[in-house]
Amino acid sequence: MQLKIALLGGDGIGPEVLAQSVKCLKAIEETFNHRFEFVEAPFGAIAMTGSGRPLPDETLALCQESDAILFGAIGALEYDNNPEAKVRPEQGLLRLRKELGLFASIRPIKMFPAFLENSPLKRNIVDHTDLVIFRELTGGIYFGKKTLSEDGTTASDLCTYSESEISRIAHLAFKAAKKRRKKVTLVDKANVLESSRLWRKTVTNIAQSYPDISFECLFIDNAAVQMMLNPRQFDVILTDNMFGDILSDQGSVILGSVGLLPSASVGLENAMFEPFHGSYPQAKGKNIANPVASILSSAMLLQHFGLDEEANAIVAAVHKSFVKKVVTTDVLGSSKYGTDYVGDFISENIVESDDNPSINDENIGLGKSTII
Ligand code: IPM
Ligand code: MN
C-alpha cells in the first residue's frame, strides 16, 4: 500500500516520540513491502514562534491532502501559565480537528498481560480490561460560544449538540460494538443537562436499530466510579467531547501510565492518530518520554487502512519490549532505557507474526490482537 503521512511533531516531547513511530512505520514498510511518504510540518507553540499561528495554512493544506496524519503533542508552559494569552497552541489542535471533520476520537484502553504489573490498581480489577471510548470530538462545550464580561469577572462556555452530530458518532460506536462484545454504554449527565438529554433520546432511538447490541446509559459521575471499580464491565463507551476527554485520561490509570495510550481521530475523509498524553514540556529533550502511546497510534493508523497484520506486528513488538523490560522510567522506575532506545528496540523487533511464536499467548502476534 502507498500512503502519504503528514508528521506534526508539535511541542514538548511530541517530536521525540513521533520519531520513534516513524522508525516503526519504516520497519513495517520494509517487512511488509509498503511505501510510506512522510512529510513534516510545523504545528503548535513552535509554529506560533514563526507565524503567530499554531496551525499555519501550509500545515492545514498538507493535512488535507495527506492520507493520514501522525501527531505528537501540543502545549507549552508559557501559555499554560498565562491566563491572559490571546492565542493558545491548543486552539491549533481544535481547529485542525474541526477543519478536517474529525468528529470521532476512538480511544482504546486495553490491558495486555505484560502491562499488568504496571497498574496502580489491583490486578483482579484491571486484568483483561478491554474497552474503547468513542469521544465526540468536534462539538459540545469545546466549540460553543465563549464569553468573558468586560470587567473579567464573569465567563461562559456554551455546550451545543445537534441530533446529526450525535447520531453520526453513535452509529460508529454501535458498528464497532458489533465486532466486539456487543455492548454500548452512553455516558452523559441527563439528570442535569439539556444537551445530555438530547444525547440520551437520540442514542436510545438509534439503539433500536441494533437489536443484537445491549445498550445502557450511565451518568458521568457514576461512570467514573464504575471505571475504577470494574472496568471489565465496559465494551464501547460513547460520550460527548468534554466527558470523553476526562474519562479517557482517567482510564489511563488502569494501565498505569498515560504514556501507553493511543487514539485515532476520524472523520469521513481524514484521519489523525494521536497519543492521549500532553506535551510534557519538563521532559523535552531529556530522552525520557515514553514513545509507546505514539507507536501504538501508528499501529492504529495501519489498522485504519485495513493493515491488521502490520498493526499487530507493532503491538507484538511493544508487548515484547514490556516482557523484556525495555521500557521508559514512567513504567519501571529503575529502567535505564530512554525514548530512543525503546523506539529502536520496538522497531527492530517488528517481524511477520509467524516468526514470533514466543509472544503468541493471548493471541498477540497471531493477527487477533487488534487494538480496537
Ligand atoms: C486530548 C487533549 C486535548 C483535548 C487538548 C490538548 C486540547 O487533552 O486530546 O485529550 O482536550 O482534547
Ligand atoms: Mn485530554
Side-chain angles (χ1 to χ4, degrees):
M1 184 177 284
Q2 218 166 329
L3 291 176
K4 179 169 179 177
I5 301 173
L7 299 177
L8 309 189
D11 302 320
I13 57 167
E16 299 164 43
V17 293
L18 198 70
Q20 313 314 314
S21 280
V22 173
K23 284 179 193 168
C24 293
L25 287 173
K26 286 189 170 155
I28 292 287
E29 253 189 307
E30 256 178 50
T31 313
F32 293 88
N33 240 324
H34 297 299
R35 291 219 10 234
F36 302 148
E37 183 194 349
F38 299 101
V39 189
E40 289 183 41
F43 187 53
I46 219 139
M48 289 167 74
T49 322
S51 64
R53 307 173 67 191
L55 176 59
D57 292 343
E58 312 77 66
T59 300
L60 177 60
L62 169 73
C63 293
Q64 279 160 336
E65 63 172 52
S66 298
D67 297 300
I69 302 145
L70 256 188
F71 162 61
I74 203 157
L77 288 176
E78 64 216 84
Y79 299 97
D80 290 351
N81 297 335
N82 175 11
E84 306 286 320
K86 289 273 173 294
V87 187
R88 295 175 176 279
E90 286 81 0
Q91 288 165 351
L93 179 60
L94 299 185
R95 184 167 159 238
L96 185 60
R97 288 172 176 169
K98 191 79 171 176
E99 296 271 358
L100 298 179
L102 307 175
F103 64 85
S105 172
I106 303 168
R107 302 188 162 196
I109 297 176
K110 183 166 178 165
M111 180 58 82
F112 293 114
F115 288 10
L116 256 182
E117 274 176 55
N118 191 46
S119 179
L121 302 178
K122 287 189 181 129
R123 201 187 165 106
N124 63 326
I125 290 182
V126 297
D127 200 7
H128 289 97
T129 295
D130 181 5
L131 62 89
V132 56
I133 299 173
F134 277 68
R135 167 190 175 193
E136 202 290 327
L137 203 59
T138 50
I141 197 166
Y142 270 55
F143 291 92
K145 187 172 178 223
K146 299 177 190 312
T147 67
L148 179 63
S149 66
E150 249 172 52
D151 65 359
T153 60
T154 309
S156 70
D157 299 272
L158 189 64
C159 181
T160 305
Y161 269 110
S162 66
E163 218 175 65
S164 61
E165 283 176 307
I166 298 167
S167 66
R168 62 185 177 180
I169 185 167
H171 282 291
L172 282 191
F174 278 95
K175 281 182 191 142
K178 265 177 177 261
K179 296 195 196 133
R180 295 175 45 99
R181 300 195 314 281
K182 302 193 166 41
K183 181 177 176 188
V184 171
T185 305
L186 172 66
V187 172
D188 63 27
K189 189 74 184 169
N191 48 347
V192 176
L193 303 177
E194 203 56 54
S195 53
S196 279
R197 285 193 274 274
L198 183 64
W199 270 83
R200 215 170 251 221
K201 186 171 145 227
T202 309
V203 179
T204 304
N205 267 336
I206 289 172
Q208 285 169 8
S209 47
Y210 295 89
D212 52 333
I213 307 290
S214 80
F215 172 62
E216 65 172 15
C217 303
L218 283 185
F219 296 138
I220 176 67
D221 44 359
N222 185 21
V225 172
Q226 293 303 323
M227 192 183 255
M228 296 293 96
L229 286 180
N230 178 14
R232 269 195 303 275
Q233 71 184 286
F234 296 114
D235 180 21
V236 175
I237 292 177
L238 168 64
T239 193
D240 79 4
N241 203 342
M242 174 99 124
F243 297 150
D245 179 45
I246 298 167
L247 215 51
S248 57
D249 260 35
Q250 189 193 339
S252 75
V253 175
I254 294 168
L255 267 70
S257 169
V258 74
L260 297 173
L261 290 151
S263 79
S265 307
V266 304
L268 296 178
E269 275 156 29
N270 291 93
M272 176 156 83
F273 300 86
E274 35 178 322
F276 277 33
H277 61 68
S279 59
Y280 193 11
Q282 300 83 350
K284 182 183 163 83
K286 292 195 182 142
N287 197 30
I288 57 170
N290 193 339
V292 167
S294 176
I295 290 173
L296 290 178
S297 298
S298 63
M300 287 188 85
L301 182 157
L302 297 169
Q303 220 178 345
H304 179 79
F305 291 99
L307 304 176
D308 285 352
E309 204 187 323
E310 289 82 341
N312 286 332
I314 292 187
V315 176
V318 168
H319 185 82
K320 190 165 174 182
S321 74
F322 265 73
V323 173
K324 302 278 181 204
K325 299 206 181 325
V326 180
V327 292
T328 45
T329 52
D330 54 311
V331 172
L332 186 67
S334 60
S335 171
K336 45 187 190 320
Y337 300 112
T339 313
D340 254 336
Y341 190 92
V342 173
D344 286 342
F345 181 90
I346 295 172
S347 57
E348 282 160 19
N349 279 283
I350 287 173
V351 288
E352 286 188 69
S353 55
D354 288 351
D355 300 342
N356 214 338
S358 62
I359 50 165
N360 275 353
D361 63 315
E362 298 279 331
N363 290 331
I364 289 171
L366 276 178
K368 292 184 189 163
S369 70
T370 45
I371 306 172
I372 52 169

